[in-house]
Amino acid sequence: MTDAEVIPAVKEDEAALATPFVKCLVRLVRAQDSYGSWEGKPDAELLADFIVSKEKRREIPIIDDPDPDVLWRLDIYYAAVGLAIEERSCLMASPMMKISHEGFGRVILTAGRLVVLSRTLRDVHRFGFETFRKLAEAGTKLVDDAISAIEIYPDAARA
Amino acid sequence: MTDAEVIPAVKEDEAALATPFVKCLVRLVRAQDSYGSWEGKPDAELLADFIVSKEKRREIPIIDDPDPDVLWRLDIYYAAVGLAIEERSCLMASPMMKISHEGFGRVILTAGRLVVLSRTLRDVHRFGFETFRKLAEAGTKLVDDAISAIEIYPDAARA
């Protein structure tokens, strides 16, 4: 990578970290820092483990049980989606996730009587995003879709 | 119990076993009988473990992890609720359950984008019903409530 390429990449990361979804994610990660040991850490460092390059992805085996840290990140990722939905719609969206020890599963987020998000999960061992931009885009897309669902079925969402 | 009391109790059990909900439950239990070893067993015997008397309830400790057999019965019970909902509404209702090893948890059943049932579970160690009638009534009530929800939010349920 040349110098000319590095600067846009940094800018891109900054923009991604400033999105409402990633801010929610950061808030939730910081909320788990009971002893204040991450206080001096910048957001990018705090979320570093969410970034998994293509090469790294390929190296992660999917045979064993998923790593508890990966499951923790998955949990906090969907909790952040729920929090971002709440910020935009004022409706609490609570996640429910079930993952087999083989790394397959399902996650749903509900607001009132409405399923605002429903995803099948696979290969959770390798959960991660190539860049901060992709992390921000994926999370924001889930939030957008949920908000659309709430707009289509407002009564069920408020039930 | 005198003889005069025994006969109504048997009749009551028979009526309970004939309800659509309990029939769904029996079908799901029999579906797990891969080797046909329960073929000769009457339905009442097959469901015997769902019946937990008050005295027996009190004896079950709630300190240890819930018994895997109890979790299996809980799973199949809510799957039967889903199946009975499907019979009546022609909509597939799929359950999702999450239970901590302390016996607390939550179960939800969804049809399309609608949450047709959402329950908090506690003391699942002691999951059971006093009589077949109570088992039938409790299950039927869950199915009725879900059907009402589908009638109120038909579009979300068909989404």
Side-chain angles (χ1 to χ4, degrees):
Chain A
M1 220 184 262
T2 66
D3 262 15
E5 278 170 320
V6 170
I7 294 153
V10 169
K11 286 239 158 144
E12 195 183 280
D13 284 357
E14 274 173 14
L17 289 163
T19 57
F21 167 71
V22 179
K23 280 189 171 173
C24 285
L25 189 60
V26 169
R27 267 167 61 198
L28 288 179
V29 174
R30 292 212 182 268
Q32 307 249 333
D33 179 25
S34 329
Y35 300 104
S37 44
W38 300 337
E39 254 172 38
K41 269 198 190 184
D43 294 350
E45 214 181 308
L46 217 58
L47 301 183
D49 288 336
F50 282 91
I51 307 304
V52 179
S53 69
K54 265 191 187 155
E55 296 72 39
K56 217 170 129 193
R57 249 183 97 79
R58 241 177 273 131
E59 281 165 19
I60 303 172
I62 53 163
I63 294 173
D64 219 342
D65 282 11
D67 182 25
D69 286 351
V70 139
L71 295 178
W72 178 81
R73 286 197 291 277
L74 203 63
D75 247 340
I76 221 157
Y77 176 80
Y78 283 100
V81 174
L83 191 62
I85 293 169
E86 199 178 336
E87 276 188 354
R88 275 174 61 186
S89 67
C90 297
L91 290 174
M92 211 177 89
S94 55
M96 202 166 156
M97 197 183 298
K98 191 142 191 183
I99 293 163
S100 77
H101 66 99
E102 285 170 317
F104 283 79
R106 196 181 162 206
V107 58
I108 64 173
L109 268 132
T110 58
R113 277 200 171 268
L114 187 68
V115 178
V116 294
L117 180 153
S118 168
R119 284 285 130 125
T120 305
L121 303 172
R122 47 191 284 269
D123 293 350
V124 301
H125 306 72
R126 293 175 171 172
F127 174 70
F129 303 86
E130 261 183 80
T131 61
F132 280 113
R133 189 166 69 100
K134 290 202 172 166
L135 165 70
E137 282 174 358
T140 306
K141 169 131 198 345
L142 293 179
V143 177
D144 288 345
D145 290 352
I147 297 292
S148 311
I150 292 171
E151 281 164 1
I152 299 173
Y153 309 105
D155 298 341
R158 279 163 186 85
Chain B
M1 220 185 260
T2 67
D3 263 16
E5 278 169 320
V6 169
I7 294 152
V10 169
K11 286 239 157 137
E12 196 183 279
D13 284 357
E14 273 173 14
L17 290 164
T19 57
F21 168 71
V22 180
K23 281 190 172 172
C24 284
L25 189 60
V26 169
R27 265 168 62 199
L28 288 179
V29 174
R30 291 211 183 269
Q32 306 250 333
D33 180 26
S34 329
Y35 300 104
S37 42
W38 299 337
E39 254 173 38
K41 269 199 192 185
D43 293 349
E45 214 181 307
L46 217 58
L47 302 183
D49 287 336
F50 282 90
I51 307 305
V52 179
S53 69
K54 266 191 188 157
E55 296 71 40
K56 215 170 133 194
R57 248 183 98 78
R58 243 177 272 132
E59 281 166 20
I60 303 172
I62 53 164
I63 294 175
D64 220 343
D65 283 12
D67 182 26
D69 286 350
V70 140
L71 296 178
W72 178 81
R73 284 196 293 277
L74 204 62
D75 249 341
I76 222 159
Y77 176 79
Y78 284 100
V81 173
L83 190 62
I85 293 169
E86 200 178 335
E87 277 189 353
R88 274 175 59 186
S89 68
C90 296
L91 291 174
M92 211 177 87
S94 56
M96 203 167 155
M97 196 182 301
K98 192 144 190 182
I99 293 163
S100 77
H101 66 98
E102 284 171 317
F104 284 79
R106 196 180 163 209
V107 59
I108 64 173
L109 268 133
T110 58
R113 278 200 170 267
L114 187 67
V115 178
V116 294
L117 180 153
S118 166
R119 285 284 129 125
T120 305
L121 303 172
R122 47 191 285 271
D123 295 350
V124 300
H125 306 72
R126 292 173 172 172
F127 173 71
F129 302 86
E130 262 181 78
T131 60
F132 281 113
R133 188 165 69 100
K134 290 200 171 167
L135 164 70
E137 281 173 359
T140 306
K141 170 132 198 347
L142 294 179
V143 177
D144 288 345
D145 290 352
I147 297 292
S148 311
I150 291 171
E151 281 164 2
I152 299 172
Y153 308 105
D155 298 342
R158 279 166 185 83

